[in-house]
Amino acid sequence: MFDVRSAELSDAQTIARLHVDVWRETMRELASPSVVAALNQEHRLRYWTKKLSEAEPHQLVLMAEVKGEVVGIGAIGQPSDPVFGSRAEIKNLYILSSFQRQGIGKRLLKELAIHAKAMGYGAVALSVVKGNEPACRFYKALHARKIAEFRDPGPIWRSDNIVYAWDDIDQLIEQ
């Protein structure tokens, strides 16, 4: 069993820690050691503090908790790059590996899509670093469609990414 709730500014430290832990585990074979080192807890804390204190329009940040422990996060907002078109962008989806395959990622995606629909979006999209095959398989299993590839300009790492979309937002909500 897990609970999902909206994140608050006071959650920034916890979210940053989870983000670093999951990102490093996932990207250790895909990013250079210098990038892995640079995208540390201090960097992520600045990112999440800003995100939670200066919310952009249509933004929602969710946390999944098991017995009070944060085990997953998800965030959505306005598209950050033209490659997303008029779709809402799922900006973050991170689940601790020991809690994957328990429906947490699927539930966070569903809640983010419900929020996007309430904000007037009919579709959602996200990007995945090329080579992150477990994530690609997960999104494909949820009927996401590959729509593009692009280079994410990121603040530190310019990664090559695949963009997946659900052009019928209800398809994602009803899964």
Side-chain angles (χ1 to χ4, degrees):
M1 290 297 284
F2 61 92
D3 297 307
V4 173
R5 68 172 177 87
S6 293
E8 300 173 1
L9 181 55
S10 61
D11 296 312
Q13 183 76 39
T14 302
I15 293 171
R17 187 176 322 110
L18 181 134
H19 191 165
V20 169
D21 290 348
V22 175
W23 196 89
R24 283 184 170 170
E25 182 179 15
T26 304
M27 298 299 159
R28 68 178 176 259
E29 302 295 325
L30 302 174
S32 72
S34 63
V35 168
V36 172
L39 293 172
N40 59 23
Q41 184 135 350
E42 182 180 310
H43 176 83
R44 297 299 190 192
L45 180 58
R46 283 192 306 271
Y47 170 85
W48 285 105
T49 299
K50 182 176 181 183
K51 188 171 204 56
L52 293 168
S53 62
E54 302 173 6
E56 67 178 47
H58 304 166
Q59 175 178 286
L60 176 65
V61 178
L62 296 175
M63 300 169 47
E65 298 176 320
V66 173
K67 297 179 183 174
E69 176 190 358
V70 177
V71 300
I73 56 171
I76 195 164
Q78 296 181 135
S80 63
D81 188 280
V83 74
F84 296 104
S86 60
R87 300 169 186 92
E89 179 186 355
I90 297 169
K91 298 176 184 280
N92 307 94
L93 185 66
Y94 295 103
I95 312 300
L96 291 173
S97 61
S98 56
F99 289 90
Q100 291 177 0
R101 294 181 175 78
Q102 296 180 31
I104 296 169
K106 186 175 177 179
R107 167 82 181 280
L108 287 171
L109 281 174
K110 178 179 181 171
E111 296 295 328
L112 294 171
I114 289 168
H115 174 78
K117 185 174 180 177
M119 294 294 105
Y121 291 95
V124 296
L126 52 77
S127 67
V128 177
V129 173
K130 278 188 179 180
N132 185 352
E133 293 306 317
C136 292
R137 283 191 298 273
F138 174 68
Y139 299 127
K140 289 176 187 176
L142 293 175
H143 309 289
R145 181 175 62 89
K146 178 182 173 181
I147 61 165
E149 293 185 11
F150 83 112
R151 176 157 284 190
D152 186 335
I156 294 174
W157 184 35
R158 281 142 187 75
S159 58
D160 291 322
N161 290 274
I162 301 167
V163 179
Y164 289 100
W166 292 267
D167 283 325
D168 178 357
I169 202 166
D170 290 325
Q171 180 187 29
L172 182 56
I173 292 169
E174 293 168 4
Q175 292 190 59

